[in-house]
Amino acid sequence: MSGEGSSSGAVTPLFASASSQRQATPAVSPERAAEITTWANRTTARAEYEFKENRAEWTNQEYGKLLAKEGGRLEFRPDGATDDRKSHLMRAAEHLVKRNHAARLAGINRAAEKLLAGETLESKKKDIGR
């Protein structure tokens, strides 16, 4: 825990790479580009903070889901072999939480790039036939 507390102001590599990628030449006015970049940096920083604060809780939730999913599985293993199911599921849960966080950062970066290119953020496309 002491290592985490000392790095509270540190910028993670994902955050640094995301904010540096947004420095490309925008297709919008410089004022709008500054607003978009500020929004994206603020949103990314909030995502990093929420990840740091909620990582253990999210990992436990994912672990519970994985445990429930594998609840009735049969165990086929030779006598004397160990099956550390809890550590295996915890590693898988940690991986899922990290993957979800990376997807969230990628979505923020993708939205910023679209806005800088002058495109709109539409949740639904008009050409899907609805």
Side-chain angles (χ1 to χ4, degrees):
M1 285 273 203
S2 64
E4 289 177 321
S6 62
S7 66
S8 63
V11 175
T12 63
L14 287 174
F15 175 70
S17 66
S19 61
S20 66
Q21 290 174 355
R22 289 189 215 106
Q23 303 302 328
T25 56
V28 294
S29 70
E31 296 83 20
R32 178 71 177 142
E35 289 175 7
I36 293 168
T37 303
T38 302
W39 164 82
N41 289 340
R42 190 175 59 244
T43 306
T44 303
R46 187 178 67 235
E48 290 286 338
Y49 174 77
E50 289 175 358
F51 177 72
K52 185 179 126 192
E53 291 294 314
N54 300 315
R55 182 178 184 172
E57 181 182 341
W58 292 341
T59 302
N60 289 337
Q61 288 174 355
E62 289 294 333
Y63 172 75
K65 290 177 190 175
L66 291 173
L67 189 61
K69 190 164 96 173
E70 288 195 7
R73 82 175 165 116
L74 297 173
E75 295 185 22
F76 298 109
R77 60 182 171 178
D79 291 335
T82 60
D83 181 23
D84 195 0
R85 185 174 172 198
K86 180 176 179 177
S87 67
H88 169 72
L89 292 178
M90 282 302 285
R91 278 193 309 272
E94 288 172 3
H95 175 72
L96 287 171
V97 169
K98 288 178 184 176
R99 185 187 71 186
N100 290 342
H101 177 61
R104 183 178 182 190
L105 292 179
I108 293 167
N109 195 35
R110 196 169 40 250
E113 288 173 358
K114 285 182 84 173
L115 289 172
L116 286 172
E119 300 175 24
T120 60
L121 299 178
E122 295 179 11
S123 61
K124 297 179 182 175
K125 300 291 181 188
K126 304 291 184 200
D127 59 346
I128 58 174
R130 291 187 184 175

